[in-house]
Each structure stands twice: as C-alpha cells, then as structure tokens.
C-alpha cells in the first residue's frame, strides 16, 4: 500500500503539479505513512528523477521549476509532522540552509535560478535573495537565518570582485568559519575560487548540488 | 510610441512577481503556443526551407508579445501592448541604418532569405574580458581585415593593473579607455570612420554616460540595450536606451533567449526570440536587432538548437517583417583550433542564407580573450561566398551537417575547447597570425572548397 502511495507522490513531482502534490502528501499522512518516508522516498526521489532528466536534456527549465514549486507545496503539508518528528528525535529533516544571490552589480539570474531550483529539489532550504544583492545584505541574511552555506553567482567579470569582497568582509567580521561559501558563474573557474578563498565552485547546477551535499557531509563528519 | 509611454507603462502596469512571470506567463504561454502553432524542429534540418514553418514561428512570436507583453523587473509590472501598437512598430521598423562616417560609412539593411547582397561583417567579441595589454592588438587584428565592415570588442577587465568593478569609478575609466583604444585601432588601420558597437566595458549607466561624447562613442556608433531573460527589461536598461536617444546614437537591441530555458526546447526559444525583437522595438528602443540565442548547457551558437533558432527566426522576419538583424557567432572553440573555424563557417552559412548580417566571433564562448582577426575573416569570406554562389538553404544545411561532424565533439569535452590566448595565436609585433594558425586556416579553407563552397573570390 505504501509503495503505491509513494509512487503516486513521486509522480506528482515528476508532473510538477502543485495541487496533486499537496493532495498526495495529505493523503499519505492520513494513510499513516511516516513523514520522513514521504519526504525521502516520495518527494525527494520524484524531484531527483526530474533533476536527472534535466541534466540529460530530456526535460527543460520550466519542468524543473514546476517540480520545485510542487515540492515546496507538498513540503508545506508535511512540515508540521516533520518538525514534530525532528523534535522527538533531535534530527533535522533539512539537508541544509543556503542563502543564494547574484552578487552586487550583476543582474543575470538564470544560472542562479537553476541552482536554486536544484538545491530545493535536493532537499535544501534555499533563501534566494535575487539579483544585484549588496554583500552586506547577503551576510546579514545568512547570519539572521542561520545559514550553512552562502552561494553567490556573477556572470560579469566586472562583478566578480564583489565575491572576493564578500569573503574578505566575512573574514573581517570574524564570521568566515560560520559558512561555506560557494561561487559560480560563466567566468568563474576553480582557480579563481581558490584565489579569493571560496570553499568551492561548480560548473553547473548538478555539480552545485553535489558540492552543497559534500559541504554538509563534511560538516557532520 | 515614445519612451515616455514606456516609462509610464512601467509604473502603471499590472503587478506580478518575477517567479510568476517566468512560470505562469512565459513558460506556460510558450508551451501552449508551441503546441498551438505546431512548432517542431528537426536535428537534421538546421536551415529549414519551410516557408509555412517560418510564418508560424513569426505568428506565434507575435501572439506571445500581444498576449503577455514584457516585464519591468524594477517595478515588477507588466508592460502590455495592443496588437496594433506592435504591428505599427513593425511597420515603422528601420529598413536601412547608416553606421560610421565618411569613406568608412556602411549601411545596414534588411536582408532577405538567400539574398544575393552579402551580409555586413561586424567583427569582434562583445563581452569577452581582456587584459589591457592585449586589447588594442586584438582589435587591430580584426579591424585590419579588408572584409570587415564594422567593429566591436571585448571588455577591459582591468585598467592600470586594477580590477574594474561594475558601478564604481573604474567603470568610467575602463569604458573611456576602451573607446580610446578603438579609435587608435581604427586610425592604425586607416579606417577612422568605421562604425562601432562599443562601450562594452560599460555595464551600468555610469560607463554609458561617460562614453556619450564625440571623442568616444560618436552618434554614428551603437551601444547594446539587452532584453533580460526572458522578455524582461529594467529601469537601468531603459535609462541606457534613453541616453542613446537623447545623445542621438544607435541602440542595438540584444536578445539572448535560452534554448532549454523558460521557453523549453528550440521552438520555444525561437518564438521568445521573435517576441523579444518585436517588443524590443518599443521597450529597448532598438534601431536594429542583435540576435544571439544561447544553448542552456553549451552556450555556443554553433549547437544544433541555436543554428536552427537563428535560421528560423531570421526567415520568420524576412518573410513577415523585414528587419535589420545582426546575428551573433559565438563558437565553443577558441583560437588555434580547427574546430573554431568549422563552427564559424557553419554559423556563417546558416545566418547568411537565412537573411542575417554577421557579428563575431565570440570565440571560446566569449569568456576568455581567445579570439583573433582570422575567424571573422573566414566568417566574412564564407558569407560573401554563399551570396556570390547563390547557396540555397538546403545546400547550406548539407554543408553544415558535414561541418558538425568535424566539430560537434567539442560539446562533449568537459573543459570545452578554449584553444589559445590571442598572443599565442598572433605575432604581437606584426599583428599577423602565427604560421600554425595560418596553416589551420588555409587547410580548413581547402576543406570548405572541396565541400563545394567557392571561396576563390
């Protein structure tokens, strides 16, 4: 019975349908399926399938975004139960919290949006601040929200220095060790990331998700 | 409709969040229109000879523009336009546009499909960051080519050893210095009146304002006003457009719809491109269009998807609303690679027979200073030969497929195929290609001739 319910949840994610995702999540809870199982085997698995299809070029950006939207809607249904379980066990269901932004002076956001969607479908809580975000706001949000990771993107070469400024500011504030900093963008290379003291970079959204997971695993180790 | 009306509508239009614009308006409407207008593409037919398809792409693009309009990201408002307002803008669209001055003046014109009039060749790699020491020699390398009609350039990422930051003081310095180097380059090659698309080092309005001066950007030159992905403008770019209008300069409307992005696959990208160009007449105050679709994964314009989009969009306009469309050539590969030359030739063939002018090359995706004067030379030679020879779309498609066999592997290379920096491909003293680069160029030209392209002219 649970298998049928879980498969149905996966399917709603693959279809990216908000209403059916909410209905399926609600029905699963009512049927007594564990919220953690709904999350890991239903929602995350469904989102993962779409993420793989996107990476293979079998589906396109809208499908990925619709899946992320359905995931958020279904998460809202099961979150109270997840919180209750989390309080009981002391284990969080979140994979980690990421503050994401296109850095100050740059307004290009497609790449950042894809990363945001992939991280969301990968189970991360993403606080997406949008484009042209001043570094002070990125840092204050990360501190206020208790973020694990700060992610910044820049497509323009002349915006990249602001990513270096962000890291220097964290250092000056004595807050550098609180966050992992990942950077990305068309002109960002691993050598550049290393030079400015970032913790890593990714060439695409799939790699960004892998990098974020790696950060969190290392933090737990 | 003047720009004051655009500003008014930016402030008074319907509110919508950007996420809902992207999904509910752009993605959903594109999905429906692609199906409704039966827009399909064929990976083996990248330069389709299918007038009905071109007409449907145009009709679908116009329908998209009428149905959803454009989005002002600054005010989070929708700019709506009535069908007759858009059709009026299309009717009033410039059919010729003078660029440059004196003996070096060239006139852009609305080309037709399989037009016997050769495309204008606009050489350079907009957006590619350059160290200051390489900027002038790189520009000279393409300005000196006799086949080149107009020039453009990359950006100065540093001046006097300092990083340039958008919106800060050095953006002004970098933009003015870029223009100084461009004028030096034109003087050096004896073509001081050549028209330019420039101030590429200006990202914010700071650089634009600093460059609007006859010693830098002249009124016979142009500057980019981009439409943001997808179908978006913002107040800063409206300000850039207005600056050009008030100064009397040309606005190049830049449209970089993403294949695999919000519109979905290539057909959705094509209809967003058409809608962008129609709306850009009003929102971007475009005097001419720069068509530059992007592949979501590979970026390059030499991918199958983007070649098809460029061809079908050019044909859609040529048949339904003839327009001046300069079409970008941004190959995956960089200097000192044969693949760069194959990609350039394929792109030039598709654009020329479909009705566009040629701009490039943004070699190595325009991410590094790996472009030289040799590939725009080939780009122009291929474009001129195709017109001289009367190459058809079917013939161009056949040759492009042959060329793709020689370069398509670059899209499977994890690090791309960036090739070499400008100074490793050209002699900085003579500003001529090094022997190895010349040899590759001659060998590729021989291959193109053997394929059937008459490059003897």
């Amino acid at each position: 019975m649970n298998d049928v319910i879980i498969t149905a949840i996966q399917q709603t994610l693959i279809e990216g349908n908000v209403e059916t995702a909410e209905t399926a999540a609600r029905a699963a809870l009512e049927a007594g399926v564990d919220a953690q199982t709904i999350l890991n085997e239903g929602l995350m698995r469904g989102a993962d399938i779409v993420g793989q299809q996107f990476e293979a070029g079998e589906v396109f950006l809208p499908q990925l975004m619709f899946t992320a939207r359905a995931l958020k809607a279904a998460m809202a249904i099961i979150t109270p139960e997840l919180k209750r379980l989390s309080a009981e066990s002391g284990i969080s269901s979140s994979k980690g919290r990421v503050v994401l932004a296109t850095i100050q002076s740059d307004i290009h956001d497609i790449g950042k949006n894809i990363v945001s969607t992939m991280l969301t479908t990968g189970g991360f809580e993403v606080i997406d601040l949008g484009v042209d975000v001043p570094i002070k706001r990125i840092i204050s949000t990360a501190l206020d929200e208790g973020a694990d990771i700060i992610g910044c993107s820049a497509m323009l070469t002349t915006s990249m220095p602001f990513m270096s400024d962000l890291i220097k500011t964290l250092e000056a504030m004595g807050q550098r060790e609180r966050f992992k900093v990942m950077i990305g963008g068309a002109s960002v290379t691993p050598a550049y990331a290393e030079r400015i003291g970032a913790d890593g970079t990714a060439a695409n959204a799939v790699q960004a998700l892998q990098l974020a997971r790696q950060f969190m695993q290392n933090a737990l180790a | 409709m003047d720009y004051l009306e655009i500003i008014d509508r930016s402030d008074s239009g319907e509110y919508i969040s950007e996420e809902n614009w992207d999904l509910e308006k752009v993605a959903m409407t594109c999905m429906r229109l692609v199906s409704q207008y039966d827009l399909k593409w064929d990976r083996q037919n990248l330069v389709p000879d299918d007038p009905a398809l071109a007409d449907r792409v145009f009709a679908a693009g116009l329908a998209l523009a009428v149905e959803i309009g454009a989005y002002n990201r600054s005010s989070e408002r929708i700019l709506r336009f009535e069908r007759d307002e858009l059709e009026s803008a299309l009717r009033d669209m410039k059919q010729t546009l003078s660029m440059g001055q004196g003996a070096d003046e060239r006139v852009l014109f609305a080309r037709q499909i399989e037009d016997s009039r050769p495309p204008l060749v606009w050489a350079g790699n907009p957006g590619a960051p350059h160290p200051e020491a390489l900027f002038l020699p790189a520009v000279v390398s393409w300005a000196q080519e006799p086949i080149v009609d107009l020039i453009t350039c990359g950006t100065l990422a540093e001046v006097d050893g300092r990083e340039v930051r958008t919106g800060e003081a050095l953006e002004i310095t970098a933009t003015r210095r870029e223009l100084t180097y461009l004028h030096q380059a034109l003087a050096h090659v004896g073509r001081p009146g050549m028209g330019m698309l420039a101030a590429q080092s200006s990202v914010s309005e700071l650089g634009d304002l600093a460059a609007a001066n006859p010693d830098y950007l002249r009124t016979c030159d142009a500057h980019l006003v981009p439409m943001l992905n997808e179908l978006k403008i913002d107040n800063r770019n409206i300000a850039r457009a207005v600056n050009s209008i008030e100064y009397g300069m040309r606005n190049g409307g830049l449209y970089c719809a993403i294949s695999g992005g919000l519109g979905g696959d290539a057909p959705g990208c094509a209809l967003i491109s058409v809608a962008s160009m129609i709306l850009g007449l009003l929102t971007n105050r475009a005097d001419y269009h720069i068509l530059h679709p992007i592949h979501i994964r590979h970026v390059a314009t030499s991918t199958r998807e983007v070649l098809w989009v460029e061809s079908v969009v050019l044909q859609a306009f040529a048949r339904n609303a003839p327009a001046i469309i300069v079409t970008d050539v941004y190959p995956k590969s960089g200097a000192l690679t044969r693949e760069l030359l194959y990609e350039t030739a394929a792109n030039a063939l598709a654009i020329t027979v479909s009705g566009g002018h040629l701009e490039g090359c943004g070699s190595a995706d325009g991410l590094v200073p790996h472009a030289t004067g040799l590939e725009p030379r080939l780009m122009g030679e291929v474009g001129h030969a195709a017109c001289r020879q009367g190459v058809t779309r079917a013939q161009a498609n056949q040759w492009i497929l042959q060329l793709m066999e020689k370069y398509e592997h670059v899209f499977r290379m994890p690090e791309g195929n960036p090739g070499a920096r400008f100074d490793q491909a050209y002699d900085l003293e003579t500003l001529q290609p090094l022997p190895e680069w010349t040899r590759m160029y001659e060998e590729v030209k021989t291959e193109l001739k053997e394929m059937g392209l008459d490059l003897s002219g």
Side-chain angles (χ1 to χ4, degrees):
Chain A
M1 178 62 180
N2 277 8
D3 287 351
V4 174
I5 292 171
I6 292 298
T7 304
I9 292 172
Q10 289 174 5
Q11 193 57 33
T12 65
L13 268 285
I14 292 166
E15 291 166 1
N17 188 314
V18 167
E19 287 179 11
T20 57
E22 286 175 335
T23 303
R26 202 174 283 118
L29 285 176
E30 287 168 359
V33 181
D34 177 70
Q36 203 67 50
T37 305
I38 296 172
L39 175 65
N40 292 334
E41 295 177 26
L43 298 175
M44 286 300 122
R45 179 70 192 124
D48 193 42
I49 289 168
V50 177
Q52 288 173 14
Q53 289 173 338
F54 176 75
E55 177 60 10
E58 294 165 6
V59 300
F60 302 103
L61 185 56
Q63 286 85 351
L64 192 65
M65 292 172 76
F66 282 123
T67 292
R69 189 181 262 200
L71 175 62
K72 281 182 188 170
M75 283 293 290
I77 302 292
I78 65 168
T79 293
E81 181 61 10
L82 283 172
K83 281 185 175 167
R84 193 186 64 75
L85 290 174
S86 173
E88 278 181 13
S89 65
I91 299 170
S92 170
S93 59
S94 170
K95 306 285 185 197
R97 186 170 288 186
V98 185
V99 168
L100 205 59
T102 300
I103 200 77
Q104 182 172 334
S105 80
D106 200 331
I107 56 172
H108 296 87
D109 68 348
I110 288 285
K112 184 265 299 171
N113 291 347
I114 299 172
V115 170
S116 176
T117 305
M118 285 296 282
L119 289 172
T120 302
T121 58
F124 284 83
E125 290 177 73
V126 179
I127 300 148
D128 187 341
L129 297 177
V131 301
D132 189 12
V133 186
I135 57 176
K136 285 179 186 170
R137 185 168 165 230
I138 297 172
I139 293 171
S140 65
T141 305
L143 289 167
D144 292 347
E145 298 288 340
D148 303 293
I149 299 169
I150 295 174
C152 289
S153 77
M155 196 191 96
L156 302 168
T157 314
T158 48
S159 295
M160 285 163 56
F162 293 110
M163 300 199 287
S164 172
D165 287 354
L166 180 133
I167 291 169
K168 286 177 187 161
T169 305
L170 285 171
E171 287 168 352
M173 292 169 72
Q175 301 289 348
R176 178 65 184 91
E177 299 309 314
R178 276 187 69 164
F179 310 104
K180 291 293 181 185
V181 178
M182 55 195 278
I183 64 172
S187 298
V188 173
T189 61
Y192 179 79
E194 188 176 348
R195 179 156 67 83
I196 69 167
D199 295 298
T201 183
N204 55 48
V206 173
Q207 286 183 20
L209 175 59
Q210 289 167 348
L211 185 61
R213 284 176 172 157
Q214 187 185 319
F215 286 156
M216 298 311 295
Q217 282 167 3
N218 292 346
L220 292 172
Chain B
M1 183 182 297
D2 64 17
Y3 68 76
L4 296 172
E5 180 65 23
I6 300 302
I7 292 170
D8 289 346
R9 292 190 194 191
S10 289
D11 293 333
S12 61
E14 175 194 346
Y15 170 84
I16 188 170
S17 71
E18 192 163 358
E19 183 186 339
N20 281 340
W21 171 261
D22 288 345
L23 279 176
E24 304 295 339
K25 296 291 182 185
V26 179
M28 296 290 277
T29 312
C30 281
M31 230 181 284
R32 177 168 49 76
L33 291 174
V34 165
S35 169
Q36 184 180 329
Y37 284 84
D38 191 27
L39 305 182
K40 294 179 179 137
W41 77 294
D42 176 353
R43 297 182 69 80
Q44 297 301 318
N45 192 6
L46 306 175
V47 190
D49 182 354
D50 183 345
L53 172 67
D55 292 349
R56 291 201 306 278
V57 166
F58 187 84
L62 180 57
L64 178 63
V66 170
E67 193 168 328
I68 71 170
Y71 183 66
N72 185 312
R73 185 192 254 173
S74 306
S75 61
E76 298 183 282
R77 307 281 183 145
I78 297 174
L79 287 89
R80 285 199 189 282
F81 301 98
E82 298 297 328
R83 176 176 286 269
D84 62 354
E85 290 175 325
L86 296 173
E87 288 176 344
S88 169
L90 285 167
R91 276 194 303 276
D92 294 343
M93 196 159 48
K94 287 185 173 69
Q95 296 299 293
T96 59
L97 181 67
S98 162
M99 294 292 307
Q101 59 192 14
D104 304 312
E105 179 187 1
R106 295 289 186 273
V107 178
L108 286 161
F109 56 96
R111 293 190 72 240
Q112 287 297 314
I113 298 165
E114 295 172 11
D115 200 327
S116 60
R117 296 169 297 173
L120 263 59
V121 179
W122 206 321
N125 54 348
H130 281 66
E132 191 169 2
L134 289 185
F135 191 88
L136 179 58
V139 172
V140 169
S141 83
W142 48 79
Q144 70 188 352
E145 294 292 338
I147 204 164
V148 168
D149 299 294
L150 300 155
I151 63 161
T152 182
C153 61
T155 62
L156 278 171
E158 57 181 48
V159 288
D160 297 333
R162 290 178 172 80
E163 284 181 324
V164 176
R165 292 159 184 246
T166 298
E168 296 192 352
L170 286 188
E171 181 181 341
I172 297 171
T173 311
T175 306
R176 286 197 158 195
R177 194 163 298 178
E178 169 202 312
L179 267 303
T180 300
Y181 286 139
L182 284 171
H183 285 294
Q184 285 176 8
L186 295 188
H188 179 81
V189 303
R191 302 171 77 181
M194 264 180 126
M196 304 187 287
L197 168 69
Q200 300 292 348
S201 305
S202 160
V203 176
S204 80
E205 55 275 33
L206 274 186
D208 267 38
L209 290 167
N213 177 298
D215 289 340
Y216 300 101
L217 274 176
R218 305 156 300 187
T219 54
C220 62
D221 296 321
H223 183 53
L224 293 176
V225 182
M227 184 162 271
L228 311 173
N229 301 100
E230 300 291 6
L231 299 171
K232 296 174 194 167
I233 186 91
D234 63 7
N235 286 347
R236 297 178 76 165
N237 278 298
I238 291 175
R240 289 152 65 98
V242 170
N243 178 51
S244 297
I245 292 167
E246 293 292 345
Y247 175 51
M249 189 172 61
R250 289 92 168 91
N251 277 325
L254 173 65
Y255 315 102
C256 302
I258 298 176
S259 179
L262 291 173
D265 205 0
C269 177
L271 81 89
I272 287 178
S273 297
V274 170
S276 298
M277 290 161 70
I278 296 171
L279 291 161
L281 291 166
L282 298 173
T283 57
N284 298 40
R285 317 309 296 174
D287 293 299
Y288 72 98
H289 303 289
I290 304 168
L291 176 63
H292 187 157
I294 288 172
H295 188 282
I296 193 166
R297 213 159 270 102
H298 305 304
V299 183
T301 57
S302 50
T303 57
R304 287 178 192 255
E305 289 87 345
V306 175
L307 285 166
W308 183 86
V309 171
E310 287 189 341
S311 174
V312 82
V313 170
L314 287 168
Q315 293 187 54
F317 273 90
R319 287 182 53 79
N320 294 277
I324 300 169
I325 307 176
V326 176
T327 313
D328 274 349
V329 176
Y330 269 57
K332 191 76 192 168
S333 305
L336 265 179
T337 70
R338 301 172 73 92
E339 290 90 345
L340 169 56
L341 302 171
Y342 296 135
E343 291 178 69
T344 298
N347 246 154
L349 277 168
I351 293 165
T352 301
V353 301
S354 301
H357 294 282
L358 299 164
E359 181 171 88
C361 301
S363 310
D365 283 335
L367 292 176
V368 282
H370 291 201
T372 75
L374 203 54
E375 57 270 24
R377 183 200 297 177
L378 183 70
M379 176 177 79
E381 287 172 336
V382 169
H384 282 222
C387 293
R388 204 168 45 240
Q389 199 174 340
V391 173
T392 64
R393 282 160 287 174
Q395 180 63 79
N397 187 64
Q398 186 189 332
W399 287 339
I400 289 167
L401 292 177
Q402 288 177 38
L403 289 166
M404 294 205 83
E405 290 176 12
K406 298 171 187 282
Y407 76 73
E408 209 170 13
H409 61 274
V410 301
F411 301 122
R412 296 188 293 274
M413 294 165 71
E415 305 299 326
N417 189 34
R421 211 168 77 155
F422 173 79
D423 53 336
Q424 294 168 320
Y426 263 58
D427 182 326
L428 289 181
E429 293 295 318
T430 64
L431 293 180
Q432 293 300 314
L434 291 170
E436 187 183 357
W437 191 210
T438 301
R439 181 180 54 75
M440 283 187 197
Y441 160 78
E442 294 294 348
E443 287 172 359
V444 170
K445 269 186 81 168
T446 301
E447 290 178 60
L448 291 168
K449 287 177 189 168
E450 287 169 357
M451 203 172 67
L453 189 63
D454 180 8
L455 285 165
S456 56

